[in-house]
Amino acid sequence: MKKKMFLAIAICLIAAVQAAAQDSYFNQDDNVVSLGLGLGGTLYSGYGYSGNGFSRMPAFSLSYERCIIDNLFNEQSALGVGGLIGYTSAKYNYNLVGGRGWKSTDVMIGARAALHYAFIDQLDTYAGIMAGYNVNSWKWNGDGTTHTSGSSGLTYSLFAGGRYYFSDSFAAFAELGYGYTFLNAGLSVKF
């Protein structure tokens, strides 16, 4: 029993020393561009956004982030800022034969800030906030008439995620959050 306890403590200490020795994968003046596909979110959710005839396109996003401060708290921490542009749409056909229904499109433009911390080698973990503007347009079809409108406005998002680097420049990323999408995943390039 004592040997197992000693072995467990030794493994934890080695892991802690190894984790403390990791360098950040996001350093001063690094730039990262990410292309993502998002699922879920606060857009097109709730009553009226389900059933036969309703379809929703996943959100596509293109983001850019630059490391403005590395060694923020220690060698594994950094602060990054950047922006995001995203697109999604949904439609609902009340009458598939008659063409009655609506289509909505949303384009999001936002500024992001994230705190990064490297817990393990090759994994850049981060959490942040985004503030932006959502440009929305609606188009209704029915009874031979078409009506258009929009409801654009300010929006925000909270997120936490990570980038796993396959090489010095290429990574896969995933983010969980509240706002434009609940899950966003894709590929990143660092330069």
Side-chain angles (χ1 to χ4, degrees):
M1 183 66 165
K2 288 183 180 182
K3 287 181 183 181
K4 288 181 182 179
M5 181 66 90
F6 176 76
L7 182 60
I9 291 172
I11 290 172
C12 289
L13 288 174
I14 290 169
V17 169
Q18 182 68 17
Q22 303 306 315
D23 289 329
S24 173
Y25 261 80
F26 195 56
N27 298 303
Q28 184 77 34
D29 299 328
D30 280 350
N31 299 286
V32 177
V33 174
S34 300
L35 182 61
L37 181 68
L39 301 174
T42 57
L43 294 174
Y44 314 124
S45 61
Y47 181 75
Y49 293 107
S50 63
N52 291 336
F54 177 76
S55 62
R56 178 182 177 167
M57 183 174 132
F60 293 94
S61 65
L62 178 64
S63 64
Y64 166 78
E65 186 177 18
R66 181 175 177 85
C67 180
I68 59 170
I69 301 172
D70 63 359
N71 297 319
L72 188 60
F73 307 120
N74 57 28
E75 294 167 349
Q76 293 108 308
S77 60
L79 179 65
V81 296
L84 176 138
I85 185 164
Y87 174 85
T88 189
S89 69
K91 66 181 179 177
Y92 188 81
N93 291 318
Y94 297 104
N95 181 342
L96 299 176
V97 176
R100 285 193 260 168
W102 56 261
K103 180 176 182 182
S104 177
T105 59
D106 287 273
V107 176
M108 160 92 108
I109 301 167
R112 294 171 34 127
L115 177 62
H116 293 253
Y117 198 87
F119 288 101
I120 61 173
D121 195 28
Q122 296 179 280
L123 182 63
D124 173 22
T125 54
Y126 53 90
I129 187 166
M130 180 181 73
Y133 193 77
N134 185 46
V135 179
N136 172 264
S137 64
W138 281 82
K139 180 179 179 181
W140 287 272
N141 293 316
D143 298 328
T145 61
T146 300
H147 304 283
T148 59
S149 73
S151 60
S152 303
L154 297 175
T155 187
Y156 72 95
S157 177
L158 302 172
F159 57 89
R163 295 183 192 116
Y164 182 80
Y165 282 89
F166 301 108
S167 69
D168 289 340
S169 300
F170 296 101
F173 81 92
E175 293 178 356
L176 294 174
Y178 176 81
Y180 201 59
T181 62
F182 294 141
L183 172 65
N184 191 26
L187 298 174
S188 299
V189 177
K190 181 171 70 171
F191 55 96

mmCIF file of all heavy atoms in Angstrom, residues 23-24 26-28 67 69-79:
data_model
loop_
_atom_site.group_PDB
_atom_site.id
_atom_site.type_symbol
_atom_site.label_atom_id
_atom_site.label_comp_id
_atom_site.label_asym_id
_atom_site.label_seq_id
_atom_site.Cartn_x
_atom_site.Cartn_y
_atom_site.Cartn_z
ATOM 1 N N ASP A 23 6.627 25.632 -22.096
ATOM 2 C CA ASP A 23 6.635 26.982 -22.625
ATOM 3 C C ASP A 23 5.277 27.277 -23.224
ATOM 4 O O ASP A 23 4.572 26.394 -23.683
ATOM 5 C CB ASP A 23 7.706 27.125 -23.714
ATOM 6 C CG ASP A 23 9.110 27.094 -23.137
ATOM 7 O OD1 ASP A 23 9.279 27.545 -21.990
ATOM 8 O OD2 ASP A 23 10.026 26.610 -23.832
ATOM 9 N N SER A 24 4.948 28.547 -23.254
ATOM 10 C CA SER A 24 3.700 28.965 -23.867
ATOM 11 C C SER A 24 3.774 28.754 -25.374
ATOM 12 O O SER A 24 4.801 28.952 -25.993
ATOM 13 C CB SER A 24 3.452 30.435 -23.552
ATOM 14 O OG SER A 24 2.346 30.900 -24.258
ATOM 15 N N PHE A 26 1.860 30.529 -27.227
ATOM 16 C CA PHE A 26 1.374 31.824 -27.700
ATOM 17 C C PHE A 26 2.274 32.883 -27.081
ATOM 18 O O PHE A 26 2.143 33.219 -25.912
ATOM 19 C CB PHE A 26 -0.091 31.996 -27.282
ATOM 20 C CG PHE A 26 -0.813 33.095 -27.995
ATOM 21 C CD1 PHE A 26 -0.887 33.126 -29.380
ATOM 22 C CD2 PHE A 26 -1.436 34.102 -27.283
ATOM 23 C CE1 PHE A 26 -1.571 34.139 -30.040
ATOM 24 C CE2 PHE A 26 -2.132 35.106 -27.927
ATOM 25 C CZ PHE A 26 -2.188 35.119 -29.313
ATOM 26 N N ASN A 27 3.222 33.388 -27.880
ATOM 27 C CA ASN A 27 4.242 34.303 -27.387
ATOM 28 C C ASN A 27 4.117 35.684 -28.020
ATOM 29 O O ASN A 27 3.424 35.860 -29.025
ATOM 30 C CB ASN A 27 5.635 33.728 -27.668
ATOM 31 C CG ASN A 27 5.851 32.418 -26.944
ATOM 32 O OD1 ASN A 27 5.734 32.345 -25.736
ATOM 33 N ND2 ASN A 27 6.138 31.368 -27.694
ATOM 34 N N GLN A 28 4.817 36.647 -27.438
ATOM 35 C CA GLN A 28 4.806 38.034 -27.907
ATOM 36 C C GLN A 28 4.927 38.115 -29.425
ATOM 37 O O GLN A 28 5.780 37.467 -30.016
ATOM 38 C CB GLN A 28 5.971 38.799 -27.264
ATOM 39 C CG GLN A 28 6.016 40.264 -27.586
ATOM 40 C CD GLN A 28 5.010 41.075 -26.796
ATOM 41 O OE1 GLN A 28 4.732 40.752 -25.649
ATOM 42 N NE2 GLN A 28 4.474 42.108 -27.390
ATOM 43 N N CYS A 67 -0.745 38.071 -29.990
ATOM 44 C CA CYS A 67 -0.261 38.089 -28.607
ATOM 45 C C CYS A 67 0.353 39.464 -28.345
ATOM 46 O O CYS A 67 1.319 39.851 -29.000
ATOM 47 C CB CYS A 67 0.768 36.991 -28.371
ATOM 48 S SG CYS A 67 1.397 36.970 -26.678
ATOM 49 N N ILE A 69 0.958 40.527 -24.942
ATOM 50 C CA ILE A 69 1.779 40.403 -23.729
ATOM 51 C C ILE A 69 2.016 38.922 -23.469
ATOM 52 O O ILE A 69 1.071 38.151 -23.342
ATOM 53 C CB ILE A 69 1.077 41.005 -22.487
ATOM 54 C CG1 ILE A 69 0.758 42.489 -22.694
ATOM 55 C CG2 ILE A 69 1.946 40.813 -21.250
ATOM 56 C CD1 ILE A 69 -0.104 43.081 -21.599
ATOM 57 N N ASP A 70 3.285 38.517 -23.415
ATOM 58 C CA ASP A 70 3.572 37.155 -22.946
ATOM 59 C C ASP A 70 4.203 37.260 -21.566
ATOM 60 O O ASP A 70 4.477 38.357 -21.080
ATOM 61 C CB ASP A 70 4.426 36.360 -23.943
ATOM 62 C CG ASP A 70 5.802 36.948 -24.165
ATOM 63 O OD1 ASP A 70 6.133 37.997 -23.567
ATOM 64 O OD2 ASP A 70 6.570 36.371 -24.957
ATOM 65 N N ASN A 71 4.397 36.146 -20.900
ATOM 66 C CA ASN A 71 4.895 36.121 -19.519
ATOM 67 C C ASN A 71 4.049 37.021 -18.621
ATOM 68 O O ASN A 71 4.577 37.767 -17.791
ATOM 69 C CB ASN A 71 6.367 36.530 -19.453
ATOM 70 C CG ASN A 71 7.253 35.572 -20.207
ATOM 71 O OD1 ASN A 71 7.070 34.365 -20.153
ATOM 72 N ND2 ASN A 71 8.209 36.110 -20.948
ATOM 73 N N LEU A 72 2.754 36.957 -18.797
ATOM 74 C CA LEU A 72 1.838 37.820 -18.057
ATOM 75 C C LEU A 72 1.931 37.556 -16.548
ATOM 76 O O LEU A 72 2.146 38.477 -15.773
ATOM 77 C CB LEU A 72 0.416 37.598 -18.560
ATOM 78 C CG LEU A 72 -0.657 38.535 -18.049
ATOM 79 C CD1 LEU A 72 -0.355 39.979 -18.415
ATOM 80 C CD2 LEU A 72 -2.011 38.122 -18.595
ATOM 81 N N PHE A 73 1.742 36.320 -16.140
ATOM 82 C CA PHE A 73 1.892 35.928 -14.737
ATOM 83 C C PHE A 73 3.167 35.129 -14.526
ATOM 84 O O PHE A 73 3.810 35.227 -13.505
ATOM 85 C CB PHE A 73 0.702 35.080 -14.270
ATOM 86 C CG PHE A 73 -0.619 35.711 -14.532
ATOM 87 C CD1 PHE A 73 -1.547 35.090 -15.325
ATOM 88 C CD2 PHE A 73 -0.942 36.943 -13.988
ATOM 89 C CE1 PHE A 73 -2.783 35.658 -15.576
ATOM 90 C CE2 PHE A 73 -2.166 37.529 -14.235
ATOM 91 C CZ PHE A 73 -3.092 36.885 -15.033
ATOM 92 N N ASN A 74 3.462 34.295 -15.522
ATOM 93 C CA ASN A 74 4.665 33.465 -15.521
ATOM 94 C C ASN A 74 4.955 33.103 -16.985
ATOM 95 O O ASN A 74 4.332 33.649 -17.894
ATOM 96 C CB ASN A 74 4.493 32.220 -14.642
ATOM 97 C CG ASN A 74 3.313 31.376 -15.055
ATOM 98 O OD1 ASN A 74 2.904 31.354 -16.214
ATOM 99 N ND2 ASN A 74 2.754 30.643 -14.103
ATOM 100 N N GLU A 75 5.858 32.173 -17.217
ATOM 101 C CA GLU A 75 6.276 31.838 -18.576
ATOM 102 C C GLU A 75 5.186 31.154 -19.406
ATOM 103 O O GLU A 75 5.261 31.127 -20.626
ATOM 104 C CB GLU A 75 7.516 30.950 -18.533
ATOM 105 C CG GLU A 75 8.725 31.672 -17.987
ATOM 106 C CD GLU A 75 9.861 30.730 -17.648
ATOM 107 O OE1 GLU A 75 9.647 29.503 -17.631
ATOM 108 O OE2 GLU A 75 10.955 31.234 -17.386
ATOM 109 N N GLN A 76 4.167 30.614 -18.776
ATOM 110 C CA GLN A 76 3.111 29.910 -19.508
ATOM 111 C C GLN A 76 1.919 30.792 -19.863
ATOM 112 O O GLN A 76 1.006 30.354 -20.528
ATOM 113 C CB GLN A 76 2.593 28.713 -18.689
ATOM 114 C CG GLN A 76 3.607 27.625 -18.514
ATOM 115 C CD GLN A 76 4.105 27.592 -17.087
ATOM 116 O OE1 GLN A 76 4.534 28.602 -16.547
ATOM 117 N NE2 GLN A 76 4.062 26.434 -16.485
ATOM 118 N N SER A 77 1.883 32.036 -19.431
ATOM 119 C CA SER A 77 0.692 32.866 -19.608
ATOM 120 C C SER A 77 0.918 33.974 -20.632
ATOM 121 O O SER A 77 2.038 34.441 -20.831
ATOM 122 C CB SER A 77 0.277 33.475 -18.270
ATOM 123 O OG SER A 77 1.321 34.279 -17.758
ATOM 124 N N ALA A 78 -0.182 34.377 -21.285
ATOM 125 C CA ALA A 78 -0.125 35.433 -22.294
ATOM 126 C C ALA A 78 -1.501 36.070 -22.445
ATOM 127 O O ALA A 78 -2.518 35.508 -22.035
ATOM 128 C CB ALA A 78 0.336 34.858 -23.627
ATOM 129 N N LEU A 79 -1.522 37.246 -23.074
ATOM 130 C CA LEU A 79 -2.756 37.951 -23.369
ATOM 131 C C LEU A 79 -2.812 38.232 -24.861
ATOM 132 O O LEU A 79 -1.846 38.735 -25.439
ATOM 133 C CB LEU A 79 -2.829 39.272 -22.590
ATOM 134 C CG LEU A 79 -4.065 40.128 -22.815
ATOM 135 C CD1 LEU A 79 -5.318 39.411 -22.295
ATOM 136 C CD2 LEU A 79 -3.911 41.478 -22.147
#
